[in-house]
């Protein structure tokens, strides 16, 4: 058997190694796109009536709401010291927790353990998010050579270091507080292995790409811990990985619009954080415990994922005597069919078939896959 063939078999779960036992084929979120056409031609009398209607509409609907009425209650668009000091949530529609899932440990990769929240059975679809793993890995375990196509992986180190290398010669080490935002696009084959001694911890989030972006050139955006935008307001620290919070903004370009903020709240502090309306959002508690969404809600402890309902912002209270650390992630849903087979995430079964073939034969972005194997 050729090495390529062996690799394909391994990666697709056809061989014994545990790394691709999680290959899942799934269909969901089938939202067909609608098109509108307007080709009507009006006779002249109808045209006049229509013009009159437009004028009336302008006077009675558009003008009163923008000019004649008093200005609407100002909306607070970003948290500031005064927002967080006020006790009432500054949101018109505060987001509530609609689902709470404990990320239980499971084996993944080669001898590694992950706590999976998004992507597990109870939490399969949170468009555009495909997977969230909290990993805790020591040598010699890790995630040896494997491919990706059709989505982005965001690796955020919480403690320790991870070495990565890919089939195009890109390599490096992500250390505590660093972020690697990898847009796999049409294809990346890489290895991700612990670099230090002891347990190396982090979060890996998979973000789906829209059909028009699935086959783009791969790209990396890497931020060292010291270069991550930070802000601190009233006992709340934000490290902004994507989007903005507490007046700090990230330079990361998110092809699928995404917000990703790591918050640490001192005991007794509270936070009112705007979250774009219409986006799907969740919280993952890393450390400590906090009250999310409603002041009277029961506190949530570490390793829980909280799915947030609709609304324009999230309020959080730390009423414990320890720091609370959590990430708040939100993304604009793609509303497209999702077909996943392990490390390939496309829109149809045919595209998955194509991805497997491309990987197998080293085509359409996987050209370097057959000659390459990591030194890890
Ligand atoms: C993968 C199995 C895997 N979670 N968290 C199947 F293990 C992986 C994979 C990872 C991974 C890597 C890191 Cl650094 C952190 C992870 C799964 O590499 F991609 C598939 N398809
Ligand atoms: Fe990977």
């Amino acid at each position: 058997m050729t090495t390529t063939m062996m690799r394909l078999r391994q990666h697709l779960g056809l061989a014994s190694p545990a790394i691709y036992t999680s290959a899942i084929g799934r269909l969901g979120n089938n939202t067909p796109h609608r098109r509108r056409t307007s080709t009507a031609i009006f006779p002249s009398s109808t045209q006049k009536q229509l013009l009159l209607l437009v004028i009336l509409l302008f006077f009675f609907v558009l003008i009163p709401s923008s000019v004649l009425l008093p200005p609407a209650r100002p909306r607070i668009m970003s948290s500031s010291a005064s927002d967080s000091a006020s006790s009432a949530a500054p949101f018109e529609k505060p987001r509530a927790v609609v689902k709470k899932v404990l990320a239980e440990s499971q084996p993944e990769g080669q001898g590694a353990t992950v706590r999976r929240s998004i992507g597990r059975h109870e939490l399969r679809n949170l468009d555009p998010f495909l997977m969230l793993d909290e990993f805790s890995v020591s040598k010699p375990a890790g995630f040896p050579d494997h491919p990706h196509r059709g989505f982005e992986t965001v690796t955020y180190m919480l403690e320790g270091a991870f070495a990565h290398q890919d089939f195009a010669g890109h390599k490096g080490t992500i250390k505590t507080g660093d972020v690697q935002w990898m847009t796999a696009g049409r294809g990346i084959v890489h290895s991700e292995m612990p670099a230090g001694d002891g347990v190396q911890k982090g979060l890996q989030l998979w973000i789906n790409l829209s059909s028009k972006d699935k086959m783009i050139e791969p790209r990396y955006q890497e931020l060292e811990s010291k270069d991550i935008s930070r802000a601190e307001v009233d006992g709340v620290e934000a490290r902004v990985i994507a989007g903005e919070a507490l007046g700090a903004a990230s330079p990361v370009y998110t092809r699928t619009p995404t917000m990703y903020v790591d918050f640490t709240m001192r005991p007794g502090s509270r936070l009112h954080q705007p979250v774009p309306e219409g986006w799907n959002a969740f919280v993952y508690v890393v450390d400590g415990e906090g009250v999310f969404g409603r002041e009277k809600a029961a506190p949530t402890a570490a390793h829980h994922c909280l799915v947030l309902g609709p609304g324009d912002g999230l309020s959080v209270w730390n009423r414990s005597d320890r720091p609370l650390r959590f990430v708040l992630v939100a993304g604009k849903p793609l509303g497209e069919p999702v077909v996943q087979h392990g490390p390939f995430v496309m829109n149809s079964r045919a595209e998955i078939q194509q991805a497997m073939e491309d990987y197998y034969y080293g085509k359409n972005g996987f050209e370097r896959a057959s000659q390459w194997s990591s030194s890890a």
Side-chain angles (χ1 to χ4, degrees):
M1 210 190 296
T2 66
T3 48
T4 330
M5 237 171 110
M6 279 168 65
R7 194 181 284 138
L8 185 78
R9 288 174 66 85
Q10 271 183 18
H11 289 162
L12 301 178
L14 301 171
S16 47
I19 185 154
Y20 290 112
T21 49
S22 73
I24 330 149
R26 67 182 161 107
L27 285 155
N29 256 359
N30 216 326
T31 323
H33 295 276
R34 290 197 191 93
R35 264 203 199 106
R36 238 187 248 149
T37 47
S38 61
T39 49
I41 300 158
F42 297 100
S44 64
S45 69
T46 319
Q47 258 179 349
K48 278 179 200 154
Q49 283 177 358
L50 206 78
L51 194 72
L52 198 76
L53 198 77
V54 168
I55 291 166
L56 286 173
L57 211 85
F58 186 75
F59 273 96
F60 289 101
V61 179
L62 299 178
I63 290 201
S65 63
S66 58
V67 176
L68 306 176
L69 292 178
R73 181 169 74 87
R75 270 187 46 174
I76 296 141
M77 292 310 290
S78 70
S79 297
S80 68
S82 59
D83 304 340
S84 30
S86 67
S87 59
F91 305 119
E92 278 173 12
K93 277 189 277 169
R95 286 180 181 253
V97 174
V98 294
K99 196 165 187 170
K100 179 173 173 172
V101 172
L102 172 66
E104 281 172 288
S105 294
Q106 63 181 69
E108 194 49 282
Q110 214 153 72
T113 315
V114 299
R115 284 178 178 272
R116 182 159 299 165
S117 45
I118 294 164
R120 64 184 300 123
H121 210 67
E122 308 94 285
L123 205 46
R124 185 114 293 175
N125 271 314
L126 195 65
D127 188 12
F129 306 110
L130 302 161
M131 187 196 86
L132 178 70
D133 278 359
E134 179 185 356
F135 57 93
S136 218
V137 182
S138 330
K139 287 174 181 172
F143 306 93
D145 311 10
H146 60 278
H148 292 281
R149 173 181 279 182
F151 60 101
E152 302 185 292
T153 69
V154 182
T155 309
Y156 182 40
M157 286 309 295
L158 297 172
E159 195 184 313
F162 244 68
H164 64 92
Q165 47 181 289
D166 81 4
F167 71 158
H170 184 88
K171 57 168 81 176
T173 304
I174 327 167
K175 303 184 187 72
T176 309
D178 297 353
V179 178
Q180 182 197 59
W181 197 290
M182 185 186 90
T183 307
R186 64 212 303 250
I188 273 184
V189 183
H190 70 167
S191 73
E192 299 154 285
M193 303 298 282
D197 292 319
V199 215
Q200 319 296 308
K201 292 183 186 179
L203 298 174
Q204 190 169 91
L205 175 71
W206 289 10
I207 308 172
N208 205 0
L209 284 168
S210 73
S211 57
K212 68 172 182 2
D213 292 332
K214 283 189 179 292
M215 292 298 281
I216 58 175
E217 278 302 307
R219 174 187 181 188
Y220 290 91
Q221 297 177 82
E222 283 160 331
L223 288 179
E224 280 186 39
S225 184
K226 63 172 171 52
D227 300 322
I228 290 177
S229 308
R230 284 189 41 210
E232 196 173 337
V233 176
D234 288 351
V236 180
E237 189 204 330
R239 302 185 89 241
V240 187
I241 293 157
E244 55 179 282
L246 307 183
S250 164
V252 168
Y253 173 65
T254 60
R255 229 156 232 290
T256 302
T258 304
M259 154 185 191
Y260 188 153
V261 186
D262 172 14
F263 286 104
T264 302
M265 296 177 62
R266 281 213 294 261
S269 63
R270 73 185 131 217
L271 165 73
H272 300 300
Q273 173 60 42
V275 178
E277 258 192 282
W279 288 19
N280 285 326
F282 69 89
V283 158
Y284 186 77
V285 182
V286 172
D287 211 2
E289 62 171 55
V291 173
F292 295 86
R294 305 235 186 280
E295 245 187 302
K296 295 196 167 65
T300 298
H303 314 302
H304 284 87
C305 182
L306 304 174
V307 178
L308 306 179
D312 54 357
L314 173 71
S315 297
V316 186
W317 296 265
N318 180 1
R319 298 215 199 84
S320 76
D321 54 10
R322 296 197 298 130
L324 161 67
R325 187 176 186 190
F326 66 93
V327 295
L328 168 61
V329 182
K332 188 177 175 192
L334 298 170
E336 291 178 9
V338 177
V339 184
Q340 176 167 4
H341 190 75
F344 305 129
V345 184
M346 304 301 289
N347 296 110
S348 67
R349 284 176 182 276
E351 286 170 355
I352 289 292
Q353 189 60 41
Q354 186 65 51
M356 294 197 281
E357 224 178 278
D358 288 348
Y359 182 54
Y360 184 93
Y361 291 111
K363 293 184 305 178
N364 296 321
F366 285 119
E367 281 76 5
R368 298 179 221 239
S370 37
Q371 297 95 335
W372 183 81
S373 94
S374 75
S375 57

